[in-house]
Amino acid sequence: MVVLWCNEIQNVLKVRNAEPLLEGKNPTPQVEIKFWQLRAKDFEQIYQQMIDPTVKMMVKCLKDGNSIYYKLYKDLYSSVVGALVEANDNLAYLTTVSNALAKVEETDFDACAPLLGPLMHTIGLVWVHSRYYNTAERITVLLQMLCNFVIELVDNYISPEEMFKGDMAETIPLVKTAEQVMSSFRMAFDDTRKRLPSMFPPGVTPRPWFFQPDIVFSRFTKVHERLKIAYYLMDTNVNFMKLEKVEFGGIRGNSLGDDVIVIFQEFDEAFKLFTESKYNPLDASDPTFLENFETFNLIMADFDRRLATIVCKGYYDCSGLEMIFKLIEMMGPLLERQLILKDFDDKYPQVVKMMDEALDICFELYEEQMAIKKETGSMVVHKNMPPMAGAMIWAREIYNRVAIYMESFSRLEHQIKNMDEFKHIFVRLEDLKHLLDQNDKFYFNSWLSTVDEICSFNMSQPLLTRDSETRLLAVNFDAKLVAVLKEMKYLKLRNKELIPVIPEGVYEKRDMLFKYYANLMLIMQLYNKLITESLPVEKPLISPHLMKIDNELEEALTTLSWEMQGIILLGN
């Protein structure tokens, strides 16, 4: 009986925490914690049996009889006590790990990355302070289980068996988040490993983690790589699905569009390798996913070459920068694919050159306009435009000849953005803007120097004037004042310059001003019609009435001006 009992205890002592891993299972840290809970409970019960009075009496008999089993029992007792102390100590430290794990589990997956650093730091502290859990064998087992824990979180978050069967555009953010969490976990390990020596108390010799990370991250790395492949496949799918709506312009637009549709249809068929699969793409033990990926890559190489040819033809069919940028934006990330970029790569320097040539034209137009201004004293502006507003609108149009492309130009995803030629475009555009702003400033200051006088003088003039010979009336609203109102309208739209009080006051009353102008025009037209169209026999009959009208209009011809009370309050 003693022998059997001792053998049973020996069997319990031989149980190791790494057995689930050695059996090919994927246990999580909860399994490790459960192992030490059960081990502490088992050895507590065994210890209680060993200190039972009946057992003690039996041991005394063995000792008194010089039995060979006494030494066996004595050694076994020491092992049980040591195992019990070890189990309780390990369980105490693993409880802190359990608390950190609980925080991760209770947090939404997409927000758990910041908690992985503290979790790994806790494991580092266990290594530093534990008396029994500070061996490479123990810590690597825990870290492997921790890797399985993260993989399990990923599986629950993205449902890998279904991730190729739904809307890829909706699944991609989930896969990206999962990949970032896995990367964060690996970075947390590397950071803790690097900081580990500094975590030891003063006077204690640091014991770094000398084990190879591959021992811990073997399965984790495989799953992580598969997750990256899944993200690549989904991203490829989303980009190629856009080909269905791609439309090319130019002479060969219809032909190129038909070729793209063929590629789209063939891609959709090829991608069924994944959409119709029944395996778990993240299962590191199943090679099917990687085999399908290899097959798919061979097919994609053909698609990329054909698409590169189509895009290059579309580029040469573009009539200018606008169509080129539309082509680049339409193709989007597809242009970054290796085989497509290989053929399209030399087009980016050409785009930069075209932008530079467009700027050359802008500078030439500016110089031509400045030459005309120097010779004639004014610029050539659009018909019916006042000088200042016309000059500013011209400047804006010159600037926009290139500026309208700058947003698309700056969004180019290509290494050419790091080259001086690319950056020089922005410098030249800024130089052009400076010249045009200086011209705007010149015209604004010139306008500013006369606008108060124009407004004050013309607003103080009588409402009407009369031709001394024909006696015909005219509305005395000067063309210069009309020009001021037009200038003001444009300045208000620009909302850049500080407008003086007097023209501001005129502009604020523009609606009322034009209302009075329209009424006076109607009066003028009716009066002039009486003067010019009345028959000689009618004039004696209407003469008394005309005299009465003239008396009524006398005030508008002599004293009543546009700025008087009841007409308009200037600057009010």
Side-chain angles (χ1 to χ4, degrees), residues 365-381 387 391 394 435-444 446:
L365 291 172
Y366 173 81
E367 293 299 334
E368 290 176 6
Q369 189 72 282
M370 292 303 103
I372 294 172
K373 175 184 170 184
K374 183 177 181 180
E375 182 179 343
T376 64
S378 61
M379 293 172 57
V380 178
V381 298
W394 173 85
L435 290 174
L436 296 174
D437 286 345
Q438 288 295 106
N439 189 62
D440 287 351
K441 187 176 180 181
F442 168 80
Y443 270 92
F444 179 72
S446 299

Side-chain angles (χ1 to χ4, degrees), residues 17-19 21 27 32 133 135-146 148 216:
N17 60 332
E19 287 183 5
L21 290 171
E32 175 74 352
Y133 218 87
T135 65
E137 178 186 358
R138 290 276 165 78
I139 208 70
T140 53
V141 167
L142 179 60
L143 288 172
Q144 287 181 71
M145 292 182 176
L146 199 58
N148 293 333
V216 172

Side-chain angles (χ1 to χ4, degrees), residues 275-295:
T275 55
E276 296 182 355
S277 64
K278 300 186 183 303
Y279 52 77
N280 178 358
L282 301 187
D283 184 357
S285 62
D286 187 352
T288 310
F289 175 65
L290 297 181
E291 291 170 356
N292 286 349
F293 177 63
E294 187 175 347
T295 301

Side-chain angles (χ1 to χ4, degrees), residues 122 222 259 321 359 410 424 536 551 571:
T122 302
K222 292 176 182 177
D259 293 341
L321 282 169
L359 279 166
S410 62
H424 188 58
N551 291 334

Side-chain angles (χ1 to χ4, degrees), residues 33-34 36-37 40 86-96:
I33 295 169
K34 185 70 173 177
W36 289 107
Q37 287 175 340
E86 178 189 30
N88 285 327
D89 187 79
N90 288 346
L91 188 58
Y93 283 102
L94 288 175
T95 300
T96 62

Side-chain angles (χ1 to χ4, degrees), residues 539-557:
K539 288 183 178 181
L541 296 175
I542 64 172
S543 180
H545 299 287
L546 281 176
M547 290 180 62
K548 186 176 181 180
I549 293 173
D550 287 341
N551 291 334
E552 293 289 339
L553 294 176
E554 186 62 27
E555 191 175 3
L557 289 164

